[in-house]
Amino acid sequence: MLAVCGLAIGFASLVGRSARAARVMSSRNNLRQVMLGIDNYAAQYNQLPPHTLFDLNGKPAHSWRTLVTPYLAAVDQLYRWDESWDGPYNMRLARGLDVHIDAPPLNEFGEPLIKTMGPYDGPIDYAWPFRTAESDGKSDFHVRYFAIVGNETAWPDDHNITYDDIGDGVTNTIMLAESHLLDAFWSQPIDLRFDQMTFTINDPKGRGISSPRKLGPLVAFADGTVLHLNPEAPQDLVRALLTANGGETIERSQLVRDGWLR
């Protein structure tokens, strides 16, 4: 009887580990999907997307996530560009609530400001590619993947760049990172600012890269590679990986061999 109980416990433990591994893999795939969307955007516009679009008063109005979403999957882009991300219509969209599009608004050329591929059949969870598959107790409609923004990074404030402008190399520059110290809706123009963030992983004293996962937070490099960043990674290494033209000598393959990237 004891042997049977022990076998059952061992099997349950194996199933639990397998389920956790599957969720981690889903989280990695989500981040890969986002990077693919960025690639597709860059292929169409010959430049990487801006991290924020501003209104006429200089107020942050739209996020890069709303720009790349149409390139992620064959879903309707119901976002309204004639109001800010936190306007009444877009806020309902961000919260995963139903919206009404009986009379789509038109731009100055008479073209629809929102695009549908067919009859509206209910709300869409736009946030899913931008979050992990592992629940952290937060609302499903909050994102967990953020751009690292600022003029030192691949997401500068005052201009758009191409992959060729990343002097440190696309294999050595992190564009997106996981964070559970920052809350944002899918459409909310909030990201990790290089000049304000902490470079200590899981630092409770400031906004930075973080994850409750023992493997460490997920990060996406500019070449599309997604890896886990060791929570013990030194600050100077983290900082170097986030700069686009810092001139640091980094070899990602060596960092993998040394265990800083997994």
Side-chain angles (χ1 to χ4, degrees), residues 13 88 148 222 232 252:
S13 176
I148 313 298
E232 302 300 320
R252 190 174 71 194

Side-chain angles (χ1 to χ4, degrees), residues 75-178:
V75 298
D76 293 341
Q77 173 61 291
L78 303 181
Y79 189 77
R80 285 187 63 154
W81 295 97
D82 62 333
E83 70 175 40
S84 179
W85 76 272
D86 55 354
Y89 174 96
N90 285 336
M91 199 67 242
R92 289 187 62 83
L93 204 66
R95 293 181 183 276
L97 301 175
D98 200 11
V99 294
H100 302 286
I101 57 171
D102 294 335
L106 305 178
N107 64 17
E108 58 188 295
F109 305 106
E111 301 166 335
L113 280 164
I114 59 177
K115 299 178 181 179
T116 60
M117 296 180 293
Y120 176 68
D121 59 359
I124 299 171
D125 178 10
Y126 286 110
W128 70 264
F130 302 94
R131 64 172 181 261
T132 65
E134 305 135 278
S135 174
D136 60 0
K138 299 287 187 180
S139 165
D140 282 346
F141 299 103
H142 283 80
V143 297
R144 287 287 164 254
Y145 299 141
F146 298 91
I148 313 298
V149 306
N151 288 334
E152 300 88 345
T153 75
W155 302 83
D157 294 323
D158 52 6
H159 64 286
N160 294 12
I161 69 171
T162 69
Y163 287 120
D164 290 339
D165 295 323
I166 301 177
D168 292 346
V170 294
T171 62
N172 300 318
T173 303
I174 292 174
M175 287 188 66
L176 304 177
E178 179 182 355

